């Protein structure tokens, strides 16, 4: 990989690592850190609701107006406001900064996906490698680095909040209400519930938010100073056409006319449902409920580390196994996790399960996320911005729905919903693969027909050329024969003239002899 392309990939990856070290850590804690009247989960729902709108309206416009680099920079600044809003958690500060973050989220992910896809495609053309293989490696490396944000963000939160350990967990707590049987109504009425974020002191909150805000600022500086701007072919084609909100909305909506895009909606939403469940319900109903809020970070680190490793591993492995096998494997991993969550009764004595389940959960998500980003870039190569806007839109809708019913439904009902969406999404994804498979033989036949036609034309041209050459050769032979005839005729005349001259000379000699004899 050339240094220029490698540098851009690394800079983008580490920029997202720093930014989501802050945001990922905060998202994992929201349901436990701000539980008053569901404030934390409500803020997450607002974030992804606004992210849907920004994916529809803002993403294509910003990318075409200021390019991918500066769209990423502006969007990262929106994420920083959320950390600032959590210094003093109340409905005004949290909800307003959540909306700002959401409006920055759509352009951020669309610009990132467009940047990596474009840069990776150009690198593939430069080296002569297969485009899909290069993009798999690009997104594999990106998600390898990015997914480690789950490690660092949660490690920071655990190291800070462990100082508040005695205030967070009540002694002799009952765990009967924890796990799949946990319901919002029973949680409120139970006297044996783990005391969560209300016991976190202001000093610890300020320390945690200060660290997270600093990570966001470093991410912005890294992108501004080191990342190169990249010109998009679509921008060059549309220089004379000024993009508008309605045109951007129309391009995103018109993308849904493509049957393949519609069929990929459920599998795109699966990530939102699964991560929404993990960050709000698993952390609260399983971890905080039985172990305490300080343990949330440690448990989520395991999931983050698994995501990071699997993103690179399965990105490379897809070159040998193909996408279909890995998507089916991801579905099996999710189904196994669902069975464990339904049957398991959380207990601190079974500590290993708190780490194994999120590891399986995140492994399946990392497979889908890495391969689906690549698949979108290849499947919709001619309309990447609209396609990735749809990708972020439906993924965000999954988050919105998951967070919206978080304070309404019992945990076991949420688990069944996740399982249903995952199975539906996997089946429809396989339908898209089948459609693409059926297209391939026709393309090959058309290519062969064109090649045969070109060969036939070449043969005809060759035969025509040979005919012309033969005709020219025949003319040359005729001309040559005529030349020889003329030369033979001239030679005959010359001989006749020579013979005539000889006769005259002989006659003259005879006359001379006769005259000589007469004189004598």
């Amino acid at each position: 990989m050339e240094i220029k392309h490698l540098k851009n990939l690394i800079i983008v990856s580490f920029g997202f690592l720093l930014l989501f070290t802050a945001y990922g850590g905060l998202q994992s804690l929201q349901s436990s850190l701000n539980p008053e009247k569901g404030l934390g989960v409500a803020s997450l729902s607002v974030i992804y609701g606004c992210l849907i709108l920004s994916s529809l309206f803002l993403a294509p416009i910003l990318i075409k107006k200021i390019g991918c680099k500066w769209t990423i920079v502006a969007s990262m600044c929106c994420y920083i406001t959320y950390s600032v809003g959590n210094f003093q958690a109340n409905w005004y500060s949290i909800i307003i900064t959540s909306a700002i973050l959401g409006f920055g989220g759509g352009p951020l992910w669309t610009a990132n996906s467009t940047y990596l896809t474009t840069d990776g495609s150009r690198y593939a053309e430069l080296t002569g490698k297969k485009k899909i293989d290069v993009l798999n490696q690009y997104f594999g490396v990106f998600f390898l680095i990015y997914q480690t944000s789950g490690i660092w963000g949660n490690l920071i939160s655990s190291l800070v909040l462990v100082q508040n350990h005695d205030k967070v967990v009540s002694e002799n707590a009952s765990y009967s209400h924890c796990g799949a049987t946990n319901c919002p109504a029973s949680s409120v009425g139970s006297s044996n519930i783990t005391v969560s974020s209300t016991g976190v002191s202001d000093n610890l909150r300020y320390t945690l938010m200060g660290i997270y805000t600093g990570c966001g600022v470093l991410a912005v500086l890294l992108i501004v100073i080191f990342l190169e701007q990249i010109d998009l072919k679509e921008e060059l084609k549309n220089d004379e056409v000024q993009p508008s909100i309605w045109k951007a909305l129309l391009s995103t909506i018109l993308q849904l006319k493509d049957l393949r895009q519609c069929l990929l909606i459920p599998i795109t939403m699966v990530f939102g449902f699964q991560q929404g469940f993990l960050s709000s319900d698993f952390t609260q109903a399983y971890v905080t409920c039985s172990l305490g809020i300080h343990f949330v970070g440690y448990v989520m680190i395991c999931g983050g580390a698994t995501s990071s490793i699997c993103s690179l591993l399965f990105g490379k492995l897809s070159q040998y196994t193909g996408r279909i096998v890995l998507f089916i494997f991801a579905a099996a991993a999710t189904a196994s996790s669902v069975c464990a969550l339904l049957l398991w009764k959380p207990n601190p004595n079974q500590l290993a399960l708190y780490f194994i389940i999120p590891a399986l959960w995140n492994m399946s998500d990392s497979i889908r996320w890495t391969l689906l980003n690549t698949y979108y870039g290849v499947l919709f190569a001619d309309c990447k911005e609209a396609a990735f806007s749809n990708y972020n839109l439906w993924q965000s809708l999954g988050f919105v729905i998951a967070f919206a019913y978080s304070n309404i439904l019992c945990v076991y009902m949420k688990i069944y919903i996740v399982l249903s969406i995952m199975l539906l999404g996997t089946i429809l994804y396989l339908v898209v693969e089948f459609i693409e498979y059926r297209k391939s033989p026709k393309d090959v036949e058309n290519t062969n027909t064109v090649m045969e036609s070109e060969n036939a034309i070449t043969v005809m041209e060759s035969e025509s050329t040979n005919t012309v050459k033969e005709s020219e050769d025949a003319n040359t032979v005729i001309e040559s024969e005529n030349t020889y005839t003329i030369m033979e005729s001239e030679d005959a005349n010359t001989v006749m003239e020579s013979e005539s001259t000889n006769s005259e000379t002989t006659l003259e000699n005879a006359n001379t002899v006769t005259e000589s004899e007469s004189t004598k």
Side-chain angles (χ1 to χ4, degrees):
M1 190 176 293
E2 285 191 355
I3 303 240
K4 175 184 174 182
H5 295 277
L6 178 61
K7 187 199 85 170
N8 290 335
L9 175 60
I10 296 299
I11 293 301
V12 169
S13 301
F14 275 94
F16 273 69
L17 167 64
L18 288 169
L19 185 70
F20 282 87
T21 290
Y23 174 68
L26 269 177
Q27 178 177 276
S28 299
L29 290 172
Q30 280 303 311
S31 60
S32 301
L33 190 63
N34 299 310
E36 298 83 4
K37 297 182 180 179
L39 173 59
V41 175
S43 74
L44 295 176
S45 186
V46 169
I47 286 173
Y48 289 99
C50 293
L51 202 151
I52 291 176
L53 297 177
S54 66
S55 296
L56 283 171
F57 295 101
L58 293 179
I61 294 175
L62 285 178
I63 292 173
K64 290 181 179 180
K65 282 285 190 182
I66 62 178
C68 289
K69 173 182 176 178
W70 296 108
T71 299
I72 292 173
V73 170
S75 301
M76 283 182 167
C77 292
C78 295
Y79 273 72
I80 295 174
T81 63
Y82 188 60
S83 300
V84 175
N86 272 272
F87 274 94
Q88 288 291 339
N90 57 63
W91 281 92
Y92 295 103
S93 65
I94 296 294
I95 298 302
I96 291 174
T97 55
S98 297
I100 294 172
L101 187 155
F103 282 117
L108 177 69
W109 282 106
T110 302
N112 174 67
S113 297
T114 303
Y115 189 98
L116 291 179
T117 301
T118 303
D119 196 51
S121 299
R122 292 180 182 178
Y123 176 70
E125 292 175 3
L126 187 65
T127 58
K129 296 181 179 178
K130 288 185 178 180
K131 182 179 177 181
I132 191 167
D133 290 342
V134 173
L135 291 180
N136 276 333
Q137 292 180 22
Y138 257 62
F139 281 101
V141 171
F142 170 77
F143 286 117
L144 167 69
I145 297 173
Y146 160 75
Q147 294 281 17
T148 60
S149 62
I151 299 174
W152 312 119
N154 289 303
L155 179 62
I156 290 170
S157 68
S158 290
L159 293 176
V160 172
L161 295 177
V162 74
Q163 302 174 55
N164 208 58
H165 175 67
D166 293 337
K167 298 179 182 179
V168 176
V169 183
S170 300
E171 295 182 358
N172 300 320
S174 172
Y175 310 117
S176 60
H177 60 283
C178 299
T181 57
N182 183 275
C183 296
S186 65
S187 297
V188 173
S190 176
S191 59
N192 295 322
I193 295 177
T194 303
V195 179
S196 56
S197 63
T198 53
V200 177
S201 67
D202 288 340
N203 287 335
L204 291 180
R205 179 185 284 267
Y206 296 154
T207 301
L208 188 60
M209 296 308 119
I211 295 172
Y212 285 159
T213 303
C215 290
V217 172
L218 287 176
V220 171
L221 293 176
L222 183 65
I223 298 296
V224 169
I225 297 172
F226 297 106
L227 186 66
E228 294 182 7
Q229 178 66 289
I230 187 169
D231 294 326
L232 301 175
K233 295 178 182 178
E234 289 80 3
E235 288 179 327
L236 297 175
K237 291 179 182 177
N238 298 317
D239 279 342
E240 298 179 358
V241 181
Q242 295 298 323
S244 65
I245 289 179
W246 299 112
K247 286 181 180 178
L249 174 62
L250 186 62
S251 67
T252 304
I253 294 176
L254 288 178
Q255 178 65 16
L256 295 174
K257 292 174 66 177
D258 192 325
L259 176 62
R260 300 170 301 173
Q261 176 69 75
C262 295
L263 292 174
L264 289 175
I265 288 175
I267 195 69
T268 306
M269 294 178 69
V270 168
F271 183 83
F273 277 96
Q274 286 200 195
Q275 289 300 312
F277 176 85
L278 190 68
S279 60
S280 64
D281 298 304
F282 181 77
T283 54
Q284 185 180 45
Y286 288 84
V287 182
T288 302
C289 183
S290 56
L291 296 177
I293 190 174
H294 69 287
F295 239 99
V296 170
Y298 294 126
V299 170
M300 298 303 286
I301 285 172
C302 181
T306 304
S307 295
S308 180
I309 295 170
C310 290
S311 294
L312 180 63
L313 175 63
F314 290 105
K316 293 285 290 182
L317 190 60
S318 64
Q319 298 179 32
Y320 307 101
T321 63
R323 288 183 303 270
I324 298 177
V325 173
L326 295 182
F327 268 101
I328 294 175
F329 177 72
T334 300
S336 301
S337 302
V338 164
C339 292
L341 289 169
L342 289 171
L343 299 174
W344 179 45
K345 297 293 183 182
N347 190 302
N349 295 325
Q350 300 170 328
L351 198 60
L353 288 175
Y354 289 92
F355 297 92
I356 294 173
I357 292 175
L360 283 174
W361 199 263
N362 278 278
M363 180 186 70
S364 63
D365 264 349
S366 66
I367 294 172
R368 293 191 196 93
W369 200 3
T370 302
L371 299 183
L372 202 56
N373 266 278
T374 303
Y375 199 40
Y376 264 74
V378 174
L379 203 61
F380 309 111
D382 297 330
C383 47
K384 289 192 288 287
E385 288 91 347
F388 282 118
S389 291
N390 270 279
Y391 177 87
N392 291 319
L393 186 157
W394 298 109
Q395 187 181 99
S396 301
L397 183 60
F399 276 104
V400 171
I401 296 173
F403 292 135
Y405 61 55
S406 181
N407 291 320
I408 301 173
L409 302 178
C410 294
V411 172
Y412 73 89
M413 297 176 67
K414 302 171 192 175
I415 295 173
Y416 283 126
I417 291 173
V418 172
L419 179 63
S420 301
I421 296 295
M422 185 274 296
L423 292 175
L424 176 63
T426 303
I427 293 170
L428 294 182
Y429 157 75
L430 293 175
V431 172
V432 175
E433 289 283 10
F434 179 70
I435 292 173
E436 290 300 298
Y437 173 76
R438 291 188 64 184
K439 282 183 179 180
S440 299
K442 292 182 180 180
D443 293 339
V444 173
E445 289 177 4
N446 292 335
T447 302
N448 292 335
T449 302
V450 171
M451 292 177 67
E452 289 174 0
S453 177
E454 291 176 350
N455 291 335
I457 292 171
T458 303
V459 170
M460 291 174 66
E461 290 176 351
S462 178
E463 291 177 353
S464 177
T465 303
N466 292 335
T467 303
V468 171
K469 286 183 177 180
E470 289 174 359
S471 177
E472 290 176 352
D473 291 342
N475 292 334
T476 302
V477 170
I478 292 171
E479 290 176 357
S480 178
E481 290 176 352
N482 291 336
T483 302
Y484 288 136
T485 303
I486 292 170
M487 290 176 67
E488 289 175 357
S489 177
E490 290 176 351
D491 291 342
N493 292 333
T494 303
V495 170
M496 290 174 67
E497 289 175 357
S498 177
E499 290 177 352
S500 177
T501 302
N502 292 335
S503 298
E504 290 176 358
T505 303
T506 304
L507 182 59
E508 288 177 357
N509 291 334
N511 291 333
T512 303
V513 171
T514 303
E515 289 176 359
S516 175
E517 290 178 352
S518 289
T519 303
K520 289 179 179 181

